[in-house]
Amino acid sequence: MRNGELSPNFRDQALETLKKTSAADPLDVFVVGGGVTGAGSAFDAATRGLKVGVVDAKDWASGTSSRSSKLMHGGLRYLEMLDFKLVAEALKERDLLLQHTAPHLVEPVAFVFPFEHRLIDRAFIGSGVLLYDTMATRPGRKRAVPMHRHLGKKALSAHFPGLADDAAVGALEYYDAKVDDARFVMTLVRSAVSYGAAAANHVSVIGYLHDGDQVAGVRARDEISGEEFDIHARRTILAGGVWTEEQQDLAKADAGLKVLASKGVHITVAEDKIKADPNTGIISKTEKSVLFVIPWEGYWVIGTTDTPWNEDVDAPVATSQDIDYLLEHANDILADKLTRDDVIGVYSGLRPLLQPVVKEGQASTKVSREHTVMEVEPALAAIAGGKFTTYRVMAEDAVDFVLGDDAKDRRSLTESVPLLGAQGVGALRRGESGIAEKYGWDEERVKRLIRRYGTLIEDLLDLVDEDPELGQPLEGAERYLRVEAHYAAAAEGAVHLGDILERRMRLNYESRDRGKNAAEAVAAIVAPVLGWDAEHEAAEVEKFNAHVDAQVAAESTEDDASAAALVGATLH
Ligand SMILES: Cc1cc2nc3c(=O)[nH]c(=O)nc-3n(C[C@H](O)[C@H](O)[C@H](O)COP(=O)(O)OP(=O)(O)OC[C@H]3O[C@@H](n4cnc5c(N)ncnc54)[C@H](O)[C@@H]3O)c2cc1C
């Protein structure tokens, strides 16, 4: 097994591998889209021993998969819709990630669910949460998260003093799990690469190859060099999220999925703005859905909204109204009211909403409540819908679907194959204090590094051993080390400055300056790794800063069209 390094060199090699494919020597499976569904499909197919390729038009996870609520959860609200199968499936996936496949990246988080009416709510919400926890209990197995508990008013105030006094007469505390979504997807891509997949980001699919009525691969464009080339494949999986219909049109398909986009916005506020026990958040019902107040490292993530998006899907962005909506709903339950000044970051994503109808034709389809895999054309299947938490099941379904009868001899293995960095993480955690002492970091920093890299932390330590300067905090974003910027370019596939500041790090919403204060330092660290000259380095900083400025300006606009126009102008 290789270590899945997404180095600049590896990207060149992967492109060569993709270009070298031919009608006589095609890939077994090619995947369009490097969100969690596409990355998961590439990992699934690669671990079955298939010859696999995957590309994303922009960065890994740059679509919806870096803009979620970052919860690996069963979805308590689906219980209200009596969707037991879906909840059971998601809970099983959550626990698999926590206990086996990604214990370094996915961690438990507690939520209080406040209620206003002592008896009715305690009975109703209580029975729902009891069912939720019971569904995640498997006889003879250790639970992945603690069971829920009831909190009276006094216990709730002590546990979550930041909750408004009149917001609740009591609460239930239950557990789910959280994950840095973009980091998870990038690790999934690296894991696929470690099993031999050829993976390249910033490569767009611009057309589909046909052999008779069969799709035989794609026409692609390297967005860095501008070069166009063919990638031949026996089967192609389209995991295009909200871009699915655009790709189906490109393939000139008669049939296809209908996917609408719905915008979900999150805001972040500093940790000290809401008083609570560590690692405890709130879930509260809104008129349409639920509001999450989720604890992260030094800040809270508050979301989300749910409104139709009719603008460019490349530029989802929050308006002033979205932010006010979130503040208003958070303030309904918080003791110390939040203001616009408290908002340090904002991000928006588009839910790929699967419509119950297919576009045309009667092609074969596997529909489940959550996701659908459909044959768009012979040898081209589209998969969409679902949620981050159930990506593994979606990926397995997609690969099974394109393999057809061949799937019988090549069953999915992903239930038992850990992601890179997972194996040995328990033992690594025992050595935290030793690492902290040797490198002069505090233990919190080491814990955080392990949560981000798992056992791949060894790669970073080697780099610091070679150049101790890399072990210093990053200027302008001290929560990160200089080595993390270096490693993002050297091994995590970052190609542009924004890839690092927004997804390998999360500075666009972790820090009030949205990453601008660290932009020059990061550009200087990665320039030699990525082969940038001074002009290129300056252009990257300028582009990133312009994008941040446009996002911030958009947050003062009143409507989606004006907001999207501002941000869209900085994308290309
Ligand atoms: C606000 C919000 C909150 C959410 N919260 C949660 C949560 O807490 N938990 C949970 O389980 N789920 C959550 N979800 C759902 C989850 O985020 C999505 O279901 C999931 O990320 C979708 O992943 P995907 O890979 O299907 O799509 P995407 O991540 O959008 O991936 C599609 C990819 O295709 C690429 N692409 C497009 N065109 C091309 C092309 N021409 N060539 C190559 N590549 C192309 C795009 O660049 C993109 O990266 C949330 C969703 C939203 C919007």
Side-chain angles (χ1 to χ4, degrees), residues 18-35:
L18 297 173
K19 284 179 210 165
K20 266 200 217 137
T21 57
S22 64
D25 186 16
L27 297 170
D28 293 317
V29 176
F30 178 70
V31 183
V32 185

Side-chain angles (χ1 to χ4, degrees), residues 110-295:
F111 284 102
V112 293
F113 194 149
F115 44 73
E116 289 169 31
H117 308 286
R118 201 178 305 271
L119 282 177
I120 310 169
D121 283 354
R122 200 179 279 284
F124 186 67
I125 301 171
S127 55
V129 176
L130 177 64
L131 180 63
Y132 194 72
D133 271 349
T134 309
M135 285 167 111
T137 306
R138 273 162 270 282
R141 291 252 199 99
K142 192 169 173 273
R143 285 185 57 83
V145 296
M147 286 289 278
H148 70 279
R149 61 176 179 145
H150 285 261
L151 299 173
K153 176 127 182 145
K154 235 168 130 187
L156 176 61
S157 304
H159 194 40
F160 212 110
L163 204 64
D165 195 46
D166 59 357
V169 294
L172 270 144
E173 183 190 52
Y174 77 101
Y175 283 80
D176 253 321
K178 62 182 183 179
V179 65
D180 176 339
D181 47 8
R183 175 149 292 276
F184 185 89
V185 173
M186 181 274 299
T187 309
L188 205 45
V189 174
R190 287 190 61 176
S191 303
V193 165
S194 75
Y195 282 88
N201 53 355
H202 299 283
V203 173
S204 297
V205 169
I206 54 170
Y208 286 78
L209 309 178
H210 287 86
D211 177 8
D213 67 343
Q214 297 263 324
V215 168
V218 301
R219 179 98 184 135
R221 181 174 56 232
D222 178 356
E223 297 296 347
I224 307 303
S225 67
E227 191 189 350
E228 295 185 5
F229 54 94
D230 290 343
I231 302 170
H232 296 265
R234 285 196 182 89
R235 302 122 180 144
T236 301
I237 295 174
L238 168 56
V242 290
W243 290 266
T244 299
E245 287 195 55
E246 194 180 291
Q247 288 295 301
Q248 289 170 169
D249 291 347
L250 208 57
K252 301 192 175 60
D254 295 331
L257 298 174
K258 190 152 179 53
V259 181
L260 294 184
S262 151
K263 181 172 69 164
V265 174
H266 291 83
I267 56 174
T268 54
V269 300
E271 187 173 43
D272 62 1
K273 291 291 160 191
I274 303 173
K275 291 176 189 57
D277 275 356
N279 206 25
T280 305
I282 317 176
I283 173 174
S284 137
K285 283 187 75 159
T286 61
E287 66 280 1
K288 262 181 154 182
S289 177
V290 290
L291 184 86
F292 282 109
V293 180
I294 308 163

Side-chain angles (χ1 to χ4, degrees), residues 32-38 55-59 61-65 67-73 203-206 239-243 246-247 262 264-266 304 349-352 383 385-390 394:
V32 185
V36 74
T37 313
V55 300
D56 195 284
K58 301 197 192 84
D59 188 21
S62 56
T64 303
S65 297
R67 302 153 183 269
S68 76
S69 302
K70 305 175 205 313
L71 295 175
M72 291 293 198
H73 61 162
V203 173
S204 297
V205 169
I206 54 170
V242 290
W243 290 266
E246 194 180 291
Q247 288 295 301
S262 151
V265 174
H266 291 83
T304 177
L350 298 177
R351 290 179 194 84
I383 176 152
K387 47 199 254 180
F388 204 100
T389 311
T390 53
M394 293 173 68

Side-chain angles (χ1 to χ4, degrees), residues 267-507:
I267 56 174
T268 54
V269 300
E271 187 173 43
D272 62 1
K273 291 291 160 191
I274 303 173
K275 291 176 189 57
D277 275 356
N279 206 25
T280 305
I282 317 176
I283 173 174
S284 137
K285 283 187 75 159
T286 61
E287 66 280 1
K288 262 181 154 182
S289 177
V290 290
L291 184 86
F292 282 109
V293 180
I294 308 163
W296 273 92
E297 290 148 352
Y299 57 94
W300 297 91
V301 173
I302 302 174
T304 177
T305 62
D306 188 355
T307 53
W309 177 258
N310 300 310
E311 308 305 323
D312 183 357
V313 287
D314 283 354
V317 62
T319 62
S320 186
Q321 280 165 358
D322 296 324
I323 297 168
D324 289 344
Y325 172 94
L326 290 172
L327 286 172
E328 194 184 308
H329 281 79
N331 284 338
D332 283 346
I333 50 171
L334 293 177
D336 297 328
K337 305 303 175 199
L338 300 170
T339 67
R340 274 301 275 263
D341 278 350
D342 295 324
V343 176
I344 55 176
V346 180
Y347 67 89
S348 320
L350 298 177
R351 290 179 194 84
L353 290 186
L354 254 187
Q355 296 309 288
V357 288
V358 293
K359 265 170 79 183
E360 265 173 50
Q362 292 300 312
S364 67
T365 311
K366 182 179 181 226
V367 185
S368 84
R369 164 71 179 73
E370 268 284 275
H371 65 268
T372 300
V373 195
M374 180 188 180
E375 183 181 88
V376 172
E377 284 192 283
L380 171 64
I383 176 152
K387 47 199 254 180
F388 204 100
T389 311
T390 53
Y391 83 93
R392 196 196 63 77
V393 180
M394 293 173 68
E396 180 176 338
D397 277 358
V399 177
D400 276 350
F401 190 91
V402 290
L403 290 184
D405 285 345
D406 294 345
K408 283 201 295 288
D409 304 322
R410 286 185 184 269
R411 291 280 175 220
S412 173
L413 296 175
T414 52
E415 215 175 311
S416 57
V417 184
L419 300 199
L420 274 186
Q423 238 156 7
V425 77
L428 179 67
R429 285 198 180 111
R430 298 214 175 123
E432 274 164 14
S433 54
I435 299 175
E437 202 176 318
K438 176 168 176 204
Y439 292 91
W441 301 325
D442 59 47
E443 281 195 36
E444 252 334 290
R445 187 180 291 277
V446 179
K447 281 190 203 313
R448 185 153 182 274
L449 288 170
I450 294 175
R451 278 200 296 272
R452 285 168 55 72
Y453 304 96
T455 53
L456 294 172
I457 191 180
E458 300 291 348
D459 292 352
L460 287 95
L461 299 181
D462 286 348
L463 287 165
V464 175
D465 287 341
E466 273 169 38
D467 177 3
E469 192 54 28
L470 288 175
Q472 294 301 314
L474 177 64
E475 304 88 314
E478 284 73 15
R479 66 170 63 229
Y480 295 99
L481 295 169
R482 290 171 62 82
V483 70
E484 295 182 76
H486 179 100
Y487 192 67
E492 295 185 334
V495 170
H496 289 298
L497 188 57
D499 299 347
I500 302 171
L501 297 170
E502 294 188 3
R503 283 171 295 278
R504 306 307 178 276
M505 301 173 182
R506 310 309 304 263
L507 288 167

